[in-house]
Amino acid sequence: MYSVLATNTRETDHRNASAHTQRVCRSILSLDDFENQARRHLPRPIYAYISGAVEDNASLTGNRQAFAELAFRPRVLTNVSQRSTEIELFGRRYNAPIGIAPMGISALSAYRGDIVQAQAAQDAGVLAIMSGSSLIRLEDVMAVAPHTWFQAYLPGDPVEIDALLDRVEAAGVRTLVITVDTPVAANRENNLRAGFSAPLRPSIGLAWEGITHPRWLVGTFLRTLLRHGMPHFENSYAKRGAPILSPNVLRDFSDRSHLAWSHIAAIRRRWTGTLVIKGVLTAEDAIIAQRHGADGLIVSNHGGRQLDGAVAPLRALPAIVRAVPQLPVMLDSGIRRGTDVLKALALGARCVFVGRPFNYAAAVASTTGVAHAIELLRTEVSRDLAMLGLRSIAEVSPACIQSATDWQLAPLGAGVVPLPNSSTETKP
């Protein structure tokens, strides 16, 4: 009798949760809408960890400003009735040139957050990168989403690096992403002001935040504790890392100042899969990465979460693409709209990654929310392609954009790339 009642209770809870997520998603029309919902749903320290950047937020602001500085040059009457947002990357086809960027501690903002995001991405046919600072085992994510990329934060000892690579390979990962822009812990003073720290320190204020956000407290935090125990950093090393309350967390976050290009060379010698370097912002480093065997690059300033005042990836992108034309160059930091995606592609990116909005989507509506966020962005890309007079991602080029502040007319025909002939073209 008890088991029947328990089962009925779980089924009722699932139906109620499903109805809630569907109601939430019906009211969400853009990625920014997810942030508004997450601000209310999450305790202030958790929301601050996701939303915040560093110091004066110069990089965070600059990332968005860079997109505003570009304007579109749409073409008309090109028959855009048949369009495709598909791309091919490293021999695999994806339904859109978008992916989920890695973001640590996702399981603290959404129940099983890393699994939720990876599964939604795989179901939608888009990319996802799992963070090395996750609270869920890599193997558990790969079991439900085997095409997920894994982002590693390399440990301090070569023996430990080799052991981590062995574990990653055994888990079935085929694309390894090495993040290189975190030599030391960033000055995230905004987190401290909001009451978030690593390690997480219990306090009366933190307890009050939980009590005043009951849906998060019960649906994410207590549910995690009851079913999986105290969260640990699971993937910083080959073995299990420190619990989130442990002082050793500081070591796991800051043990990266030793890294040099020689470590990338050593990884390349033993890693047989695809190797991507994330966090490159200069053409000089892009060339060095190519020389050390990188198969691709992600131009990124960590979403403005590392060095405040670092150049916006969109501004750095063209020089990097020119420096390594043979490599697929991708981008993250600042993407919020389909128009942002197309501006990055016009400057040479093959794909873009989005971090915070997908984290918010998982927090407020689990897998349903992430799937809705992906479809919102993919639909915007498809619509904006039509508005530009284009039918495929391959047709996006520098001819689609110009500086929004440059109102001088170019000479007739300058920089124009002819579009493919339309099936409705008429002859004079």
Side-chain angles (χ1 to χ4, degrees), residues 186-355:
N187 184 24
R188 297 182 187 176
E189 59 192 42
N190 63 298
N191 289 351
L192 298 177
R193 298 182 198 279
F196 184 91
S197 63
L200 198 62
R201 297 184 178 90
S203 66
I204 294 176
L206 195 59
W208 177 250
E209 285 290 335
I211 292 170
T212 55
H213 295 82
R215 187 177 291 276
W216 171 86
L217 179 64
V218 175
T220 298
F221 188 67
L222 294 181
R223 190 179 178 192
T224 297
L225 288 180
L226 290 173
R227 295 190 178 185
H228 310 283
M230 180 60 65
H232 284 60
F233 286 93
E234 298 283 1
N235 306 297
S236 298
Y237 299 90
K239 59 184 182 299
R240 193 181 202 192
I244 196 167
L245 298 178
S246 170
N248 290 335
V249 168
L250 291 175
R251 177 202 64 190
D252 293 351
F253 274 126
S254 59
D255 189 22
R256 300 165 194 152
S257 60
H258 64 286
L259 289 178
W261 285 109
S262 57
H263 292 88
I264 301 300
I267 291 170
R268 178 73 284 178
R269 285 193 293 269
R270 61 171 294 140
W271 179 254
T272 59
T274 303
L275 180 62
V276 175
I277 305 299
K278 177 179 179 290
V280 173
L281 284 173
T282 67
E284 297 92 324
D285 281 342
I287 293 170
I288 296 172
Q290 183 181 45
R291 289 173 181 168
H292 283 78
D295 297 305
L297 303 175
I298 300 178
V299 183
S300 168
N301 65 11
H302 221 100
R305 296 165 72 86
Q306 285 302 116
L307 174 63
D308 205 26
V311 62
L314 190 71
R315 294 190 179 104
L317 179 64
I320 292 174
V321 170
R322 289 193 299 268
V324 288
Q326 302 88 353
L327 292 188
V329 177
M330 297 153 278
L331 177 140
D332 82 3
S333 304
I335 299 286
R336 294 295 180 271
R337 286 285 189 180
T339 49
D340 300 333
V341 175
L342 293 178
K343 287 175 182 179
L345 298 182
L347 293 179
R350 293 280 296 278
C351 180
V352 303
F353 293 92
V354 183

Side-chain angles (χ1 to χ4, degrees), residues 40-253:
R40 293 191 291 270
H41 171 77
L42 293 170
R44 181 169 171 256
I46 306 301
Y47 170 75
Y49 169 75
I50 302 169
S51 64
V54 293
E55 296 181 353
D56 299 319
N57 293 329
S59 290
L60 181 68
T61 303
N63 289 344
R64 291 299 301 143
Q65 182 60 36
F67 288 99
E69 291 172 359
L70 295 178
F72 286 114
R73 301 179 64 251
R75 305 291 296 277
V76 298
L77 300 178
T78 58
N79 185 12
V80 294
S81 58
Q82 300 296 320
R83 299 184 306 284
S84 172
T85 60
E86 290 187 355
I87 63 165
E88 183 174 330
L89 191 61
F90 300 128
R92 181 176 292 278
R93 293 201 68 79
Y94 297 96
N95 289 335
I98 59 177
I100 299 179
M103 193 160 187
I105 323 182
S106 292
L108 202 59
S109 54
Y111 177 71
R112 309 304 276 168
D114 301 277
I115 292 177
V116 162
Q117 295 185 52
Q119 187 167 21
Q122 182 149 306
D123 291 346
V126 300
L127 279 160
I129 308 176
M130 181 184 182
S131 171
S133 294
S134 55
L135 304 176
I136 296 177
R137 294 174 68 249
L138 165 65
E139 292 81 359
D140 295 343
V141 173
M142 296 302 293
V144 299
H147 300 308
T148 304
W149 297 5
F150 178 70
Q151 171 231 24
Y153 287 118
L154 298 179
D157 185 277
V159 174
E160 291 179 335
I161 293 176
D162 289 344
L164 177 61
L165 291 179
D166 288 340
R167 178 187 170 189
V168 171
E169 187 173 21
V173 173
R174 295 307 302 151
T175 300
L176 176 65
V177 181
I178 304 295
T179 292
V180 295
D181 60 357
T182 58
V184 295
N187 184 24
R188 297 182 187 176
E189 59 192 42
N190 63 298
N191 289 351
L192 298 177
R193 298 182 198 279
F196 184 91
S197 63
L200 198 62
R201 297 184 178 90
S203 66
I204 294 176
L206 195 59
W208 177 250
E209 285 290 335
I211 292 170
T212 55
H213 295 82
R215 187 177 291 276
W216 171 86
L217 179 64
V218 175
T220 298
F221 188 67
L222 294 181
R223 190 179 178 192
T224 297
L225 288 180
L226 290 173
R227 295 190 178 185
H228 310 283
M230 180 60 65
H232 284 60
F233 286 93
E234 298 283 1
N235 306 297
S236 298
Y237 299 90
K239 59 184 182 299
R240 193 181 202 192
I244 196 167
L245 298 178
S246 170
N248 290 335
V249 168
L250 291 175
R251 177 202 64 190
D252 293 351
F253 274 126

Side-chain angles (χ1 to χ4, degrees), residues 25-44:
C25 289
R26 279 197 295 270
S27 68
I28 289 176
L29 305 179
S30 71
L31 294 190
D32 283 343
D33 289 345
F34 277 111
E35 180 171 4
N36 296 331
Q37 291 280 350
R39 187 184 292 110
R40 293 191 291 270
H41 171 77
L42 293 170
R44 181 169 171 256

